[in-house]
Amino acid sequence: MGTRFWSVLTLSMLMTGSATAQSAQSVLQATALAMGMENLTSIQYSGSGWRGRVGQNVSPDRDWPRVELPSYTRTIDFDTMSSKEEYVPEAGARVTSLVRGDYAWSLDAQGAPVPQPAAAELRRLEILLTPWGFIKGAMAPGANPTMVTRHEYGGRSTVISFIAFGKYRINGTINPDGMLERVQTWVPNPVVGDMYYENVYTQYQEVGGVQIPRFHQHQDYDDGANAPNVSGGDHAFGLETVSDLQANVANAALTVPDAVQSARVPPVRVESQRLSDGVWLVGGGSHHSVAVEFDDHVVVIEAPLNEARSLAVIAEVYRLIPDKPIRFIVTTHHHWDHLGGLRAYAHEGATVVTHESTKPYYQEVLRAGPWLLEPDRLSLYPPEEWSEGYIFETVNEKYVLADRTRTVELYNVQGLAHVAGMLIAYLPREKIVVQADLYSSTAQAPDASARSLQRNLERLALDVETIVGIHGSPVPMSQFVEFLSAGQ
Ligand SMILES: [Zn+2]
Ligand SMILES: [Zn+2]
């Protein structure tokens, strides 16, 4: 009796499984037909839209800053997984992003290829997030799509799901009208972990026999329904109007340039430079950190980019200053390129020193999860009570880190458009100011941020000899003054 029960149960489960697989395929086939893509091998479409500068909002509760794209063209070849995306942002230079399979590159102003090996996987994934790429990916041999239904978009919608590249779950929601209305996935991000990434497709129109929607992309969440709003960035891309669409265009399959084929992701490079006794600039990449030795501990200013960079910087700090723990990590502002290493320092046992306005967001960043796609140390080996919020010191207008050997003063920069809650560090004995994104030694002409640094140094009456940038090289104050007057 028992055996018979189990065999009947197994048989009915198997039948349910194959029925689901079959109906997923038939739903996909019907959707492909409705979208006019039965014979589609490549596509090129042009139009106008916008992109959001992800991770660069003015304050954590605001949306990603929007850049208008009056001219946008994308060409995709599905068989070779080639994509070429070209746009000219309003008041900016042309951007061209390319991928074929495992190889990604961009074009410089002269049209020469610039390898971007680290961007290949996401660009390849993005092909599968387009309306036509999703249908093709889900119908590809071995995709084994699953299917659930639910009440959404005013009726019974179907969610088809498959795993891309053995790693990324991609869900496509087919609305009651039989059109693909949303494609969602999660991508690894050094600040928020498995970052929510979705495209919403509405207002389909037929151009040359193929259906193309309005594109509307979210990256990360907007918790705007909460008060106070902690995380506000989400709008990442939109294609509002379509001026041209062509199916099966010639030359959509890209050729990978030789320089791109041989390029590899470069290892993290760390180079340190002594600024004063016990003060080091730890650079070697696009974003630097500054290490300051105290009597029995170390303070690091800035945890940029990602965990790999931060672990290399932490190792260098311990080489320069052996046997003293990194007790404080000071972060200048919440932009993602300056924040991606924060969790590595939290794991290391450092207290986070930040402007009080960014603390709720940083708490969310340190707690956020899951971190399954690219786990970091904080997610794998969290220290005790790391998410309770005890590991923060907040700055309002001024905060001082000091012992008998050293003083570091932190000030909030006032009247700055770049970001809210920006901190600069001042070492009174060494007459050094450390700042991010206000002034770089490589800047051509003074901008509003450089002017605001000048105004704040005057307001605070700081006696400065050296300006140290998180970007660029340290410069004497006299050079900064000259730079400002040359721009007048
Ligand atoms: Zn910034
Ligand atoms: Zn920066």
Side-chain angles (χ1 to χ4, degrees):
M1 162 90 189
T3 311
R4 190 183 143 76
F5 171 77
W6 282 111
S7 59
V8 168
L9 189 68
T10 309
L11 186 64
S12 70
M13 280 168 67
L14 280 170
M15 286 174 68
T16 313
S18 66
T20 303
Q22 212 170 37
S23 47
Q25 284 300 337
S26 59
V27 169
L28 286 163
Q29 269 160 21
T31 310
L33 199 67
M35 287 171 53
M37 53 173 287
E38 313 95 285
N39 303 310
L40 189 71
T41 59
S42 65
I43 194 166
Q44 182 176 68
Y45 52 94
S46 302
S48 65
W50 48 268
R51 62 177 287 262
R53 296 176 56 232
V54 175
Q56 301 293 319
N57 45 1
V58 169
S59 58
D61 61 332
R62 300 275 294 275
D63 201 356
W64 308 135
R66 190 174 283 212
V67 180
E68 297 299 324
L69 309 178
S71 151
Y72 176 95
T73 299
R74 190 160 188 200
T75 311
I76 300 171
D77 179 66
F78 297 100
D79 286 344
T80 61
M81 290 296 265
S82 296
S83 165
K84 180 180 187 182
E85 187 180 49
E86 297 170 272
Y87 57 81
V88 183
E90 198 181 37
R94 174 178 294 271
V95 176
T96 310
S97 304
L98 307 102
V99 67
R100 175 175 170 150
D102 294 331
Y103 302 99
W105 66 103
S106 63
L107 299 181
D108 67 15
Q110 284 71 44
V114 179
Q116 296 181 313
E121 191 163 84
L122 182 55
R123 270 185 213 163
R124 200 156 60 107
L125 183 69
E126 279 179 327
I127 296 174
L128 299 177
L129 305 181
T130 65
W132 320 280
F134 173 80
I135 300 293
K136 283 181 173 287
M139 292 178 85
N144 298 320
T146 59
M147 186 177 97
V148 295
T149 68
R150 67 172 167 231
H151 195 87
E152 192 175 23
Y153 301 133
R156 206 71 202 159
S157 287
T158 305
V159 184
I160 307 263
S161 184
F162 69 101
I163 307 292
F165 319 147
K167 184 172 172 185
Y168 300 100
R169 172 172 294 282
I170 305 183
N171 302 323
T173 304
I174 293 152
N175 67 23
D177 296 332
M179 300 301 279
L180 184 67
E181 182 145 350
R182 188 172 67 208
V183 178
Q184 62 188 182
T185 191
W186 292 260
V187 301
N189 177 279
V191 175
V192 296
D194 298 355
M195 183 178 73
Y196 190 60
Y197 198 113
E198 78 177 354
N199 289 326
V200 181
Y201 297 126
T202 55
Q203 302 169 33
Y204 277 91
Q205 53 174 315
E206 191 196 303
V207 186
V210 177
Q211 293 282 341
I212 182 166
R214 170 181 181 262
F215 286 58
H216 187 87
Q217 185 186 83
H218 300 140
Q219 291 188 33
D220 204 19
Y221 289 106
D222 168 17
D223 66 351
N226 296 328
N229 183 2
V230 172
S231 168
D234 66 336
H235 290 100
F237 175 75
L239 185 71
E240 301 292 344
T241 64
V242 176
S243 54
D244 187 38
L245 183 149
Q246 290 176 53
N248 303 339
V249 285
N251 304 320
L254 298 172
T255 304
V256 182
D258 288 345
V260 173
Q261 264 185 54
S262 56
R264 297 289 174 269
V265 178
V268 176
R269 209 164 56 108
V270 171
E271 281 167 9
S272 49
Q273 176 187 348
R274 188 182 165 279
L275 297 172
S276 176
D277 193 27
V279 184
W280 284 271
L281 181 66
V282 186
S286 59
H287 295 60
H288 317 321
S289 300
V290 173
V292 185
E293 182 175 9
F294 283 70
D295 195 23
D296 65 353
H297 66 276
V298 181
V299 172
V300 173
I301 302 168
E302 212 71 323
L305 297 177
N306 52 39
E307 181 180 61
R309 166 112 213 129
S310 299
L311 292 179
V313 170
I314 289 168
E316 177 68 1
V317 170
Y318 287 149
R319 190 186 71 78
L320 295 165
I321 312 168
D323 306 320
K324 291 186 184 181
I326 298 171
R327 195 161 288 160
F328 296 98
I329 175 71
V330 176
T331 85
T332 61
H333 66 302
H334 78 281
H335 286 168
W336 280 8
D337 58 319
H338 289 258
L339 194 60
L342 190 67
R343 292 170 56 94
Y345 286 87
H347 174 266
E348 191 52 37
T351 292
V352 177
V353 186
T354 183
H355 190 260
E356 62 183 11
S357 64
T358 49
K359 182 186 166 184
Y361 182 65
Y362 283 25
Q363 258 186 299
E364 193 169 286
V365 162
L366 291 184
R367 211 165 17 209
W371 282 72
L372 299 174
L373 290 164
E374 281 177 16
D376 66 353
R377 288 189 177 188
L378 193 65
S379 64
L380 291 173
Y381 323 107
E384 188 180 346
E385 298 198 319
W386 57 283
S387 70
E388 273 75 358
Y390 307 138
I391 63 162
F392 288 95
E393 286 290 320
T394 57
V395 180
N396 183 353
E397 289 305 324
K398 180 179 181 180
Y399 187 95
V400 180
L401 292 154
D403 65 10
R404 61 187 181 86
T405 63
R406 184 88 57 195
T407 300
V408 173
E409 299 173 2
L410 304 174
Y411 294 100
N412 178 26
V413 178
Q414 294 181 356
L416 178 67
H418 180 74
V419 75
M422 174 70 90
L423 299 182
I424 54 172
Y426 176 59
L427 283 66
R429 202 164 313 163
E430 298 77 9
K431 298 186 172 35
I432 289 172
V433 159
V434 181
Q435 55 78 32
D437 295 358
L438 302 179
Y439 166 62
S440 165
S441 61
T442 60
Q444 299 294 313
D447 59 4
S449 295
R451 301 268 180 228
S452 85
L453 175 61
Q454 176 192 34
R455 277 196 306 275
N456 278 272
L457 295 181
E458 279 171 13
R459 172 179 68 86
L460 299 164
L462 302 182
D463 180 9
V464 181
E465 276 177 7
T466 310
I467 298 197
V468 175
I470 296 302
H471 305 288
S473 324
V475 298
M477 183 65 187
S478 57
Q479 189 177 322
F480 179 57
V481 171
E482 219 170 279
F483 168 80
L484 288 167
S485 58
Q488 272 166 354

